[in-house]
Amino acid sequence: MADTAPPFEGSRRRAAVSLPLIALAIGLALIAYLVPDARPPALGALALAALVGLIQRGARASRQRNAVKTDASSPLWPNASVKSVVDAMREPAFVLDRNLALRFSNAVGIQTFGNMALGDPIAMRFRAPELIAAMAESIESGEAQMTEYAERAPSERAWAVDILPMPMPGEARPVFFLALFRDRTQMRRLERIRTDFVANASHELRTPLASLSGFIETLKGPARDDHKARAQFLDIMQDQARRMSRLIDDLLSLSRIEMRRRLEANELTDLVSVMRVVAQQAAPTAAEKNLALELTGLEEGEALVNGDHDELVQVFGNLAENAFKYGDAGGRIQIGLTRTDETVEAFVRDFGQGIPPEHVPRLTERFYRVEDGSGRVRGTGLGLSIVRNVLIRHNTRLSISSIPGQGSTFSVRFRLRVPGAFEKSQYKS
């Protein structure tokens, strides 16, 4: 450790040491001059005093060299080995000194947070008191610290930050510290989605449960002997029980779909067969609602695509169910295919009241629902979310086109596959 005493303090110490030697030398010189017989021993003593002075001067010079060497062992910049290790990290990493000045930034750090001038205080870029306090605590204690850092602009991001001392051989305490940023944005987003999902699912289940509980209490109390009210309440309770059952089925279906792996490249199905099955299943509902069910583009032969037959039947079955539910005022429903040389587009179209433009971007969100035109909100709000997740697995997406007062079209585009291109076809009729 270098001597940190003020300069005048060192001069005063050197003067205190030199004055006795100077006085001794003057005294010996006077004795040698005035007393000839004492000259030989006086000159010998004078030489000895000069030797002692030289030894003291050499000791001071040695201490100064050691101080300089100690200062040199605490460099301002990390060496090439440290830089190469930090630069190889796949997450943003910064090397700081004990004054929280930036001494090195790896390439990922520059790409993520922008270029920062080396030697500047790290607080000039990260204006977060908790982060700076954690860095200062690590420097003070010499121990690793962990904290969090969040940014809202230019995009919302969340980071877990580790501040780690970087001790070097021969150092009494670390000179450099590593600030390692680990991206937790996706994890935070998933946690938020999971929290919202549980809250929404609980709310959707709580409503029919509260209704059932209320009617049960009524039937056990005031309506115990009212046969007409009992029949009416039992019908309502049955509807609420069915609503709960549909919600649970949709939740389980959504969970199964999200856990499934992607399709195999050789997993093929025929969209013509899929759409015919959907039309067959939809026919009783169309007859019940007195709606015309029109099939288009299904007479041109098979249309093989990479897909799972049952899942695609579920997709277009959900779309057809929504068309009957929200587009029954149009008098007819279309189910069909349109083809090009390389692609095929499957669609379900209604001619009802349509969907206001502000709702279209959010239709595939979980539990998001739109009024059906009569002021009521029907369904569980999970049908289009299931559609979206199935289509993600099929490497495609749902397109929605709607004009208020004219109806809505829900379509999905697939790439056609050549028959016989794979040895094992998963074609299902």
Side-chain angles (χ1 to χ4, degrees), residues 215 218-219 222-237:
F215 283 121
T218 303
L219 289 173
R224 177 179 300 176
D225 299 322
D226 190 336
H227 296 288
K228 182 178 180 181
R230 182 168 58 188
Q232 180 182 0
F233 291 164
L234 287 174
D235 288 340
I236 297 174
M237 292 170 65

Side-chain angles (χ1 to χ4, degrees), residues 40-96:
L43 291 175
L46 183 60
L48 181 60
L51 180 61
V52 171
L54 290 173
I55 292 173
Q56 289 181 345
R57 185 174 180 179
R60 284 198 302 271
S62 178
R63 285 197 299 270
Q64 291 174 353
R65 286 194 300 270
N66 289 336
V68 172
K69 187 180 297 183
T70 301
D71 290 340
S73 66
S74 301
L76 291 177
W77 307 101
N79 59 37
S81 299
V82 172
K83 291 180 179 179
S84 62
V85 171
V86 174
D87 204 36
M89 294 181 176
R90 301 178 64 180
E91 296 175 311
F94 306 93
V95 177
L96 315 174

